[in-house]
Amino acid sequence: MNTNTTEEIEIIRVANSKIDTVDFENLTFGNVFTDHMLICDYKDNKWQKPIIKPYEPFLIDPSAKVFHYGQAIFEGMKAYKDENDDVWLFRPDQNYIRFNKSAVRLAMPEVPEDIFIGGLKKIIDLERNWVKKGIGNTLYIRPFMIAIGSGVIAQPSTQYRFMIILSPARSYYSGEVKVIIADHYSRAANGGIGAAKAAGNYSAQFYPQKLANEKGFQQIIWTDDATHTKLEEAGTMNVFFKINDTLYTAPVSERILDGVTRKSIVDLARKEGIKVEERSVLVDELVAAAKDGSLKEIFGAGTAAVISPIVGFQHQEHYYELPKLENSTALQLKEKLINIQYKLTEDTFGWTVKV
């Protein structure tokens, strides 16, 4: 390995890249990682110098707080390559802001912008050959932070590790998506950590997700924890409902994640003249709309899937099929968003950032 030290970040390059061993046409989401990773530790009440080094396992004490008390947060982002071989990020400032909101909620130190954004740009520039051109090809970006301080006393750690790893990706979901509306299990509760992108939020979903899969459904539409009457999220995505000519989505709250794709879709839809209402949609309201034909579409929205149309939903013992639309609002908005991300159309919002 040869070492190149910049003023801010030390870069230790791999001797030989593994990129030529990767089949980019047949990727399983999140299973293949690039040559390098960024790592930066927090100790003695301050952030240490970031290092970009070869992707590899690392040692951690068995008593590390992350294992025992779940101090772990992450973000999901993507990089895109345009037809001129330039690499772009999509609204990284929003991920940076949300990451630190998650950190505050879990009593973790906030990551400085020069480490998060600066490190992000530095490692993606180093790995730009892993970003392939063409719609559907992306580089998935996973910044995360874990508590690495040792000891099993139930209190926040004093040491943390911030990292960025990168994974070449294609489409996340495929095939038809059918959902079941939750009437017992909850994703989040008032006063909890639902608005934080905390690891524990996702592990708590796995069991009810397994039950839904066993019944033939790909995802769950989560409802509020108190009454199970308000529709909130779909699996790991924010969710939208089109009833008549209006697009509805639940407002961001302490239970609902402030999705970057979600807010982008709201802005795009309004620019296109689509009426959007950010309010709670009731389960009974959705069922009634499905019965009288005013329910036109349901779709999930998130970084990994972008937009995932839903073909039908089940509530209690009744299944409701949605109309099949050739030119749905979901697909129109997805195309417009993707065209901005890949620089195929002008970014009038100022969302894209060149690496």
Side-chain angles (χ1 to χ4, degrees), residues 175-286:
E176 292 189 341
V177 176
K178 297 180 179 180
V179 299
I180 186 169
I181 295 177
D183 57 10
H184 174 69
Y185 294 103
S186 301
R187 194 196 78 87
N190 286 331
I193 58 173
K197 214 160 168 58
N201 286 344
Y202 295 80
S203 60
Q205 295 182 42
F206 292 160
Y207 178 66
Q209 177 74 50
K210 175 177 177 287
L211 297 180
N213 293 159
E214 289 171 352
K215 293 179 180 179
F217 298 94
Q218 287 72 45
Q219 292 291 343
I220 298 170
I221 292 187
W222 300 103
T223 51
D224 68 291
D225 64 300
T227 67
H228 294 292
T229 60
K230 299 175 182 178
L231 300 159
E232 300 204 323
E233 294 194 3
T236 58
M237 302 177 288
N238 295 114
V239 65
F240 288 80
F241 310 92
K242 187 178 182 185
I243 299 174
N244 289 320
D245 294 326
T246 301
L247 206 56
Y248 297 91
T249 189
V252 172
S253 70
E254 60 185 350
R255 296 191 309 272
I256 297 174
L257 194 69
D258 185 11
V260 178
T261 305
R262 173 197 175 278
K263 67 178 68 178
S264 303
I265 288 170
V266 168
D267 289 346
L268 268 175
R270 286 175 173 157
K271 184 181 179 183
E272 293 299 313
I274 299 170
K275 185 179 179 183
V276 180
E277 290 191 20
E278 296 179 76
R279 69 161 176 84
S280 296
V281 176
L282 301 179
V283 175
D284 288 348
E285 184 181 359
L286 187 73

Side-chain angles (χ1 to χ4, degrees), residues 173-180 216-219 221 234 237 239-241 286 290 295-300 307-314 318-326 328 330-331:
Y173 292 114
S174 60
E176 292 189 341
V177 176
K178 297 180 179 180
V179 299
I180 186 169
F217 298 94
Q218 287 72 45
Q219 292 291 343
I221 292 187
M237 302 177 288
V239 65
F240 288 80
F241 310 92
L286 187 73
L295 176 62
K296 307 303 181 184
E297 298 178 54
I298 305 175
F299 58 89
I307 289 178
S308 183
I310 291 168
V311 300
F313 71 93
Q314 180 157 317
H318 301 283
Y319 179 75
Y320 302 90
E321 192 84 21
L322 271 68
K324 290 181 168 56
L325 304 174
E326 288 188 12
S328 66
L331 295 181

